[in-house]
Amino acid sequence: MSGLKKDIREISFEEISAWFKANGEPAFRARQVWEWLWQKSARSFGAMTNLSKALREKLEENFVIRAVEVDTFQKSKDRTIKNAFRLFDGNIVEGVLIPTETRMTACVSSQVGCSLTCKFCATGKLERLRNLNADEIYDQVALIREQSEREYGIPLSNIVYMGMGEPLLNYANVLKSIERITSPDGLGMSPQRITVSTAGIAKMIKSLAMTK
Ligand code: SF4
């Protein structure tokens, strides 16, 4: 982990704008970086090619992007692709691309391990080590989206929060990830095509139902 540098994806657009202003850079730079992070899913400052090299280096000195990486993946006869995603701290979570006749679905994880212990579930036998950050959930979708295009030439259409973990016991990060995935200045995916599956956390189901 890189000392005290903040992960730039964990701060708001306003904070990024303030940083550019404080460093004597024009305001539009913040918009450019925001687009790289959330529309183009850039996982390094080096990838932000419409910024000067000097500015990219300055960002590198001040921030980090703790991007999720594909550790390994397995392609099955039924065309599903099962990914082991490695997080910045070395933890591994699963995410799957599920092709069907009518849709391309990403199944993503929300926790490392799980808070619950459902008898039928392999993840239920794993201790919950931590919740995933919103950007780590976002990265799973972005990586599976690239895989769908690369492997099958078909855009990702649907997302299910049915991987490792109980999404409603990581509520704030799950909602923030959905906001970044569906926002026009994010991946712009349809909220109607996102399913959050739960083992039945009644209190949080109510909160979700009330969420605008
Ligand atoms: S909540 Fe989901 S991931 Fe957790 S043990 Fe139950 S079925 Fe498995």
Side-chain angles (χ1 to χ4, degrees), residues 117-132:
T117 57
C118 306
K119 293 280 170 283
F120 57 82
C121 173
T123 306
K125 296 181 179 54
L126 301 175
E127 188 201 342
R128 182 196 78 99
L129 296 179
R130 70 171 176 84
N131 283 340
L132 294 187

Side-chain angles (χ1 to χ4, degrees), residues 106-181:
C107 175
V108 296
S109 294
S110 56
Q111 297 182 310
V112 180
C114 187
S115 306
L116 304 180
T117 57
C118 306
K119 293 280 170 283
F120 57 82
C121 173
T123 306
K125 296 181 179 54
L126 301 175
E127 188 201 342
R128 182 196 78 99
L129 296 179
R130 70 171 176 84
N131 283 340
L132 294 187
N133 302 329
D135 49 288
E136 291 173 318
I137 300 171
Y138 167 96
D139 273 353
Q140 294 173 70
V141 172
L143 288 163
I144 294 172
R145 194 167 176 254
E146 287 163 23
Q147 219 169 38
S148 184
E149 295 279 0
R150 192 179 55 245
E151 301 290 330
Y152 299 117
I154 304 171
L156 189 70
S157 57
N158 293 65
I159 301 167
V160 292
Y161 286 65
M162 275 184 191
M164 298 170 79
E166 168 50 61
L168 297 190
L169 292 177
N170 185 13
Y171 190 71
N173 289 330
V174 163
L175 285 196
K176 190 176 171 200
S177 70
I178 292 171
E179 190 277 329
R180 291 290 80 222
I181 290 162

Side-chain angles (χ1 to χ4, degrees), residues 4-50:
L4 296 174
K5 284 196 267 184
K6 263 192 182 169
D7 187 323
I8 197 169
R9 298 190 301 177
E10 288 177 7
I11 64 175
S12 67
F13 178 74
E14 290 67 30
E15 286 168 291
I16 293 176
S17 302
W19 184 84
F20 276 108
K21 194 164 177 216
N23 285 273
E25 293 287 341
F28 71 82
R29 292 291 181 212
R31 179 53 56 196
Q32 285 179 313
V33 168
W34 192 257
E35 284 171 8
W36 276 112
L37 294 172
W38 299 112
Q39 279 183 343
K40 302 173 189 163
S41 310
R43 283 185 275 280
S44 73
F45 294 111
M48 302 178 180
T49 48
N50 59 359

Side-chain angles (χ1 to χ4, degrees), residues 17-127:
S17 302
W19 184 84
F20 276 108
K21 194 164 177 216
N23 285 273
E25 293 287 341
F28 71 82
R29 292 291 181 212
R31 179 53 56 196
Q32 285 179 313
V33 168
W34 192 257
E35 284 171 8
W36 276 112
L37 294 172
W38 299 112
Q39 279 183 343
K40 302 173 189 163
S41 310
R43 283 185 275 280
S44 73
F45 294 111
M48 302 178 180
T49 48
N50 59 359
L51 304 182
S52 69
K53 192 161 179 301
L55 187 50
R56 281 180 266 159
E57 284 165 1
K58 196 170 190 175
L59 284 162
E60 200 92 47
E61 284 156 22
N62 289 273
F63 299 104
V64 289
I65 301 175
R66 293 192 186 111
V68 173
E69 306 285 344
V70 175
D71 189 60
T72 58
F73 71 90
Q74 283 166 315
K75 209 169 173 176
S76 308
K77 284 205 194 73
D78 65 1
R79 304 193 321 134
T80 58
I81 302 179
K82 192 172 179 180
N83 296 285
F85 290 124
R86 186 164 20 82
L87 311 177
F88 74 89
D89 55 6
N91 280 309
I92 297 283
V93 295
E94 292 166 1
V96 185
L97 173 62
I98 308 164
T100 64
E101 292 298 310
T102 54
R103 55 182 71 176
M104 296 299 273
T105 302
C107 175
V108 296
S109 294
S110 56
Q111 297 182 310
V112 180
C114 187
S115 306
L116 304 180
T117 57
C118 306
K119 293 280 170 283
F120 57 82
C121 173
T123 306
K125 296 181 179 54
L126 301 175
E127 188 201 342

